[in-house]
Amino acid sequence: MLLPDRQTNQHRSSHNSARFLDDVSADSSAEFPDRVSMMEVRLQAQEDEITLLKSSLADALRRIRIHDQLLPLLKQQLIAVSCSDGCTSSRKLSSSSAVDGIRHPATRYCSFLSNSVSSHSFPPCCCLCIPGQSIKMFIRGRPITMYVPSNIQNYEDLKMEPPSERLDLDWVYGYRGRDCRANLYFLPTGEAVYFIACVIVLYHINNRTQRHYRKHTDCVRCLTLHPDKVRVASGQTAGVDKDGKPLQPCVHIWDSTTLVTLQQIGLGAFQRGVGSVAFSFADSGAFLCVIDDSNEHMLSVWDCTKGTKHAEIKSTNEAVFAVEFNPSDSTNIITCGKSHVYFWTLNGGQFTKKQGIFGKYKKPKFIQCFVFSLTGDVLTGDSEGNILTWGKSAADVKTLGKGAKETFQIMRQTRAHEGSVFTLWTLHGGGLLSGGGKDRKIIRWSADLAPERECEIPEKYGAVRTIADVDEEELLVGTTRNAILRGTFSDGFVAIVQGHVDEMWGLATHPSQNIFFTCGHDRQVCLWNTEEHKLDWCITLEEYGLCADFCPSGSVVSVGLSTGRWMVLDLLTREVVSESTDGNEQLSVMRYSPDGSFLAVGSHDNFIYIYNVTESGRRYIRFGKCNGHSSFITHLDWSKDGKYIMSNSGDYEILYWDIAAGCKLLRNRYESKDREWASYTCVLGFHVMGVWLEGSDGTDINALCRSHDERMVAVADDFCKVHLFQYPCPKPKAPSHKYEGHGSHVTNVCFTHSDSHLLSMGGKDTCILQWKVFGAGDSRERLASASVSSTSTSSPEPVTS
């Protein structure tokens, strides 16, 4: 995965794209989720193959041109050496060079070949191979030659070890409210519990600290709180591994105080994922009800202590949004979703189902949520903006005969909101809270459904997704734009958790301050504070951003957009101080030279545009254009002296440019082998060759970043993982520390200016993870005491691979 518009990267993580569709707000996404998922997989696979074919074609044409140019030289060389005493050895060398020049393996693998050659082996007239030691790396059958720096005397004797530094999850930015419901609860410990990606966050709303439950192996989809207010059940999606094989979803029951997993429910029993979970109340949480994401949305009840299945039945082929036990009778279960509300009775391990009868009332397209009132009535919120009160009616023997049975019918309809009612929450005194979609209102109702108070949350936070009460006055509100608000009806609401709402790609850290910048497909550009763990500011652009970089002066940040336009923002005023357009395709890289005198802009039109920078990053004049890549630019870095650029492209090229000489392409790449680079973000290069796993296809690594002390390199891969390697890392199969937490392809990684933290950014999971970097001499206790946030005691140790 290299850049978003080509999406060659998403053939491995296409399941993540389908899982993030909003099955509530958009009616069409709930109609045929499986068909949409299948079509997305096929479409992305086709796009991937088209990109590969284009790259292979360009490579084949290039090789043909080289062959045509070299053929006369080879013939002359063969004739010349045949008349000398060394004709035999020269003929062998020439033949080998000719074959190597036109060979194009078709297999999809990543292998390495080490060739040591000396200058005296070549005839004087041959310039095919440069004297010295070189390494060949094959990606998608294409050979990539790496030249060994002069300070490495014997490449074969190099030993690769994992770095002494390690990572520990320090903070999680974001909340998944866009397409999930009932995923925010308040604990007696003063913590709000919610999830994003594969991490469940326990955030203390007063102390502003986080703990993390991290035992899930893929995206968490649902959450519920046990009647004891201590135990939590959470379900995850299935996902796939790096080979495309499905992983088994399950439900974890865990202790919110110790973060210890108490029970793993249903491993291998659920299909695709777990959509909804609920504890029973009448028997103090002895049973757990689960609905999976299969076509039939299997409804199952499990013994929480033994972890065994008690009963199971197919519920419906339509989308199911919620499930709950009757709080006074654990044999009664209710489910709701698209055009239905079902009342289930469990007796002797067997389910019986009764459908709610709408009768004279208009049948809504979606029953979004429901709660039980203190009187035992069932209250549902629907897509028409109504709260429906359901009751049990006696059997109509007179009309239907002796076989008639009791039914569940609407007893009352209460107009509540404009647009959908997304959530209902019962208060201890018998009152009710409702949250609206289109009108973004929170309304407090009396026990007899008379409106008492209401307020409207700001438009920038989206609609109300879920509500949890802190006490009788204070509320927590999760929104559809991935924010968590805290407040009261009297004082209003403020955001305590915020995040992006669509795929993210752009990430940059400040050169001297503990802040970082992000941008993505939601058209938001955000400035975050790593010390205070908060969003400093956020503005919305007309187009979405894909890349960013801070000027070394630290006063401005440049943002590359999807249309070829780029702009420079002042960090204090948030105003645009400069803007320009280069081409009409998306930009992929923004990179300032070390002294801030140049800005390089990498584009999908295959060019790198160079600008002179003055006035501390506020004035830009076009200096030149680097023309030579045959595919879109993916990564680039400046040399430490600010005179040269190293760049990668979508067809796995490594090119070097002399900027001081007028953006000249350096044909002899051997001359750049000892050049020192101010940063290292290029995924292809000798110093990072070992980060590629055997079998990689060239799109498996999306980004990498070398630390400022040049001791380690962090890698963002296509399989939801963050890796930490030693630097340099020039040999294949290098060991690394591997870290989990993201639920989608990791699009970017970046170290803070002091290397104290690493930031990683998920794609579709809209999650930013902040990792604490600690050395071999640092203990976890010292790390915990020095950190502002409290870290998870159940965080898994990194896997060394």
Side-chain angles (χ1 to χ4, degrees):
M1 182 182 310
L2 292 173
L3 278 172
D5 79 323
R6 309 280 173 159
Q7 294 190 9
T8 60
N9 38 20
Q10 295 186 20
H11 67 285
R12 301 238 188 230
S13 52
S14 59
H15 67 286
N16 293 316
S17 179
R19 91 166 65 114
F20 283 87
L21 292 173
D22 190 342
D23 58 354
V24 179
S25 302
D27 295 350
S28 60
S29 64
E31 295 283 351
F32 307 104
D34 302 316
R35 184 177 300 176
V36 169
S37 176
M38 187 178 302
M39 292 176 66
E40 283 188 347
V41 172
R42 294 176 59 187
L43 176 62
Q44 289 163 2
Q46 290 172 357
E47 290 179 348
D48 181 36
E49 292 304 320
I50 290 173
T51 301
L52 293 177
L53 288 173
K54 288 181 179 179
S55 175
S56 299
L57 178 60
D59 192 53
L61 293 173
R62 184 186 302 106
R63 290 176 179 278
I64 291 173
R65 288 196 299 269
I66 293 174
H67 178 268
D68 291 342
Q69 295 170 2
L70 295 181
L71 192 58
L73 295 176
L74 292 173
K75 289 181 178 179
Q76 294 176 9
Q77 180 181 335
L78 289 172
I79 293 173
V81 298
S82 64
C83 300
S84 65
D85 294 335
C87 63
T88 302
S89 60
S90 299
R91 187 179 300 113
K92 288 182 179 179
L93 177 62
S94 301
S95 177
S96 174
S97 300
V99 172
D100 184 66
I102 62 174
R103 181 179 54 194
H104 187 267
T107 55
R108 295 179 55 182
Y109 66 96
C110 177
S111 61
F112 300 82
L113 177 64
S114 175
N115 294 324
S116 294
V117 294
S118 57
S119 57
H120 62 78
S121 300
F122 289 86
C125 63
C126 181
C127 59
L128 297 178
C129 296
I130 301 173
Q133 194 178 23
S134 65
I135 311 298
K136 280 191 177 180
M137 171 183 178
F138 289 89
I139 294 184
R140 296 266 187 173
R142 175 170 183 170
I144 304 171
T145 302
M146 314 283 187
Y147 293 100
V148 181
S150 302
N151 60 354
I152 297 179
Q153 301 300 321
N154 194 331
Y155 173 79
E156 296 298 334
D157 290 342
L158 290 178
K159 294 183 179 180
M160 295 290 98
E161 297 180 352
S164 59
E165 295 82 1
R166 289 176 179 263
L167 303 179
D168 198 52
L169 184 59
D170 179 50
W171 201 263
V172 178
Y173 299 90
Y175 157 73
R176 185 172 175 177
R178 184 168 69 93
D179 61 344
C180 290
R181 64 193 62 245
N183 61 348
L184 174 64
Y185 294 90
F186 186 72
L187 302 176
T189 57
E191 296 169 304
V193 56
Y194 58 92
F195 60 77
I196 185 171
C198 303
V199 183
I200 300 176
V201 181
L202 295 91
Y203 174 64
H204 199 291
I205 62 174
N206 292 326
N207 299 341
R208 298 180 61 211
T209 58
Q210 282 188 358
R211 296 186 297 140
H212 312 111
Y213 180 78
R214 297 175 55 200
K215 294 301 184 180
H216 284 285
T217 58
D218 214 290
C219 278
V220 183
R221 287 291 309 277
C222 55
L223 188 71
T224 191
L225 190 60
H226 193 273
D228 64 12
K229 305 295 184 182
V230 175
R231 282 174 282 179
V232 177
S234 50
Q236 69 173 65
T237 192
V240 296
D241 63 14
K242 68 176 185 178
D243 298 319
K245 297 179 181 179
L247 299 174
Q248 295 178 329
C250 64
V251 175
H252 287 185
I253 299 177
W254 48 280
D255 189 305
S256 63
T257 304
T258 63
L259 302 180
V260 172
T261 304
L262 305 175
Q263 190 70 257
Q264 189 180 64
I265 301 290
L267 184 64
F270 308 124
Q271 294 186 31
R272 298 193 185 125
V274 178
S276 301
V277 289
F279 281 110
S280 58
F281 278 79
D283 48 21
S284 301
F287 294 98
L288 181 75
C289 186
V290 181
I291 292 184
D292 72 6
D293 287 333
S294 64
N295 289 340
E296 298 83 11
H297 296 97
M298 301 298 295
L299 168 65
S300 56
V301 174
W302 299 76
D303 187 308
C304 294
T305 304
K306 299 178 181 178
T308 56
K309 188 188 299 181
H310 185 59
E312 184 179 46
I313 193 173
K314 298 178 181 178
S315 65
T316 177
N317 288 333
E318 302 288 1
V320 179
F321 296 155
V323 61
E324 287 288 349
F325 284 93
N326 188 318
S328 59
D329 186 356
S330 296
T331 63
N332 293 333
I333 298 172
I334 297 180
T335 61
C336 73
K338 185 175 184 295
S339 301
H340 76 268
V341 54
Y342 293 145
F343 299 82
W344 303 85
T345 301
L346 179 59
N347 188 8
Q350 299 296 319
F351 281 103
T352 57
K353 178 178 71 173
K354 291 183 180 180
Q355 184 168 356
I357 306 300
F358 290 90
K360 64 179 181 180
Y361 298 96
K362 179 182 178 182
K363 187 176 185 179
K365 190 164 188 178
F366 295 103
I367 303 293
Q368 306 276 20
C369 55
F370 69 89
V371 293
F372 291 90
S373 69
L374 294 185
T375 60
D377 292 330
V378 177
L379 307 177
T380 62
D382 60 42
S383 54
E384 297 294 324
N386 297 318
I387 297 176
L388 303 178
T389 304
W390 296 80
K392 186 182 297 185
S393 299
D396 189 357
V397 179
K398 183 177 181 180
T399 304
L400 302 177
K402 293 183 179 181
K405 298 181 180 179
E406 61 182 10
T407 59
F408 291 89
Q409 297 183 355
I410 299 173
M411 312 301 292
R412 178 183 177 185
Q413 176 176 286
T414 305
R415 183 64 180 171
H417 292 273
E418 181 183 356
S420 289
V421 180
F422 276 151
T423 184
L424 295 172
W425 183 266
T426 52
L427 298 172
H428 298 297
L432 180 72
L433 296 173
S434 65
K438 187 176 181 180
D439 61 10
R440 308 188 312 281
K441 288 184 178 180
I442 303 171
I443 302 177
R444 177 168 181 157
W445 308 81
S446 65
D448 59 355
L449 291 184
E452 294 180 339
R453 307 188 69 176
E454 71 174 52
C455 66
E456 182 178 321
I457 65 173
E459 183 178 2
K460 63 181 179 180
Y461 299 129
V464 179
R465 175 62 77 193
T466 188
I467 300 174
D469 62 328
V470 177
D471 52 40
E472 287 299 316
E473 291 295 328
E474 193 171 22
L475 305 176
L476 297 178
V477 180
T479 75
T480 57
R481 290 190 64 80
N482 295 349
I484 297 178
L485 312 181
R486 179 186 183 184
T488 64
F489 284 99
S490 302
D491 301 330
F493 291 84
V494 295
I496 59 174
V497 176
Q498 290 178 265
H500 281 272
V501 295
D502 205 344
E503 187 171 2
M504 303 179 294
W505 283 88
L507 174 64
T509 54
H510 194 275
S512 60
Q513 301 178 31
N514 294 318
I515 57 177
F516 66 97
F517 186 87
T518 60
C519 57
H521 288 194
D522 56 6
R523 298 187 294 113
Q524 292 185 153
V525 291
C526 303
L527 188 70
W528 308 82
N529 190 305
T530 61
E531 284 185 328
E532 299 182 10
H533 307 119
K534 69 182 184 68
L535 178 66
D536 280 346
W537 55 259
C538 176
I539 60 176
T540 303
L541 306 178
E542 296 178 357
E543 306 147 29
Y544 61 82
L546 294 170
C547 51
D549 194 28
F550 283 95
C551 181
S553 68
S555 59
V556 298
V557 61
S558 60
V559 187
L561 307 179
S562 58
T563 58
R565 191 162 70 100
W566 56 271
M567 59 179 57
V568 181
L569 301 173
D570 186 288
L571 294 184
L572 295 179
T573 66
R574 313 176 198 178
E575 294 179 351
V576 178
V577 298
S578 181
E579 62 180 314
S580 185
T581 301
D582 291 310
N584 56 8
E585 296 196 44
Q586 71 180 46
L587 303 180
S588 49
V589 191
M590 307 290 288
R591 187 80 65 218
Y592 285 94
S593 61
D595 61 359
S597 60
F598 288 103
L599 172 66
V601 181
S603 172
H604 266 223
D605 64 6
N606 304 355
F607 299 129
I608 302 173
Y609 300 90
I610 308 297
Y611 284 83
N612 266 128
V613 183
T614 56
E615 300 179 12
S616 298
R618 287 170 167 78
R619 180 176 173 82
Y620 296 79
I621 300 175
R622 172 76 75 84
F623 176 80
K625 181 170 69 172
C626 300
N627 180 8
H629 274 294
S630 55
S631 185
F632 56 95
I633 311 302
T634 60
H635 308 84
L636 65 86
D637 293 290
W638 286 89
S639 61
K640 289 186 176 180
D641 58 13
K643 296 180 179 180
Y644 301 92
I645 281 179
M646 170 176 59
S647 58
N648 292 168
S649 62
D651 58 351
Y652 322 128
E653 275 186 328
I654 308 173
L655 297 185
Y656 299 90
W657 312 86
D658 188 338
I659 304 303
C663 304
K664 178 183 177 183
L665 174 64
L666 299 177
R667 303 287 180 180
N668 189 349
R669 293 189 291 123
Y670 175 80
E671 296 177 352
S672 299
K673 66 185 177 67
D674 293 326
R675 192 159 286 126
E676 295 185 341
W677 302 101
S679 62
Y680 214 116
T681 62
C682 286
V683 298
L684 296 174
F686 173 82
H687 296 85
V688 296
M689 191 166 57
V691 306
W692 291 88
L693 299 178
E694 187 174 0
S696 297
D697 66 357
T699 66
D700 292 343
I701 293 179
N702 303 317
L704 61 79
C705 180
R706 184 190 67 191
S707 61
H708 296 87
D709 62 9
E710 301 186 16
R711 291 171 50 89
M712 52 189 166
V713 59
V715 174
D717 76 11
D718 214 16
F719 312 107
C720 316
K721 305 294 188 297
V722 174
H723 299 259
L724 197 65
F725 292 86
Q726 76 170 29
Y727 181 88
C729 183
K731 294 194 73 174
K733 300 181 180 179
S736 69
H737 302 310
K738 182 171 63 175
Y739 300 90
E740 300 177 343
H742 285 290
S744 177
H745 50 285
V746 186
T747 56
N748 218 330
V749 286
C750 199
F751 286 96
T752 56
H753 69 97
S754 62
D755 292 333
S756 63
H757 292 84
L758 174 74
L759 295 155
S760 62
M761 172 185 286
K764 288 290 186 179
D765 67 15
T766 68
C767 176
I768 303 170
L769 299 182
Q770 179 174 310
W771 307 86
K772 176 74 175 178
V773 181
F774 64 98
D778 296 331
S779 67
R780 279 187 172 270
E781 289 74 19
R782 287 179 55 193
L783 175 65
S785 62
S787 177
V788 176
S789 67
S790 58
T791 55
S792 169
T793 56
S794 71
S795 299
E797 290 296 321
V799 177
T800 301
S801 58

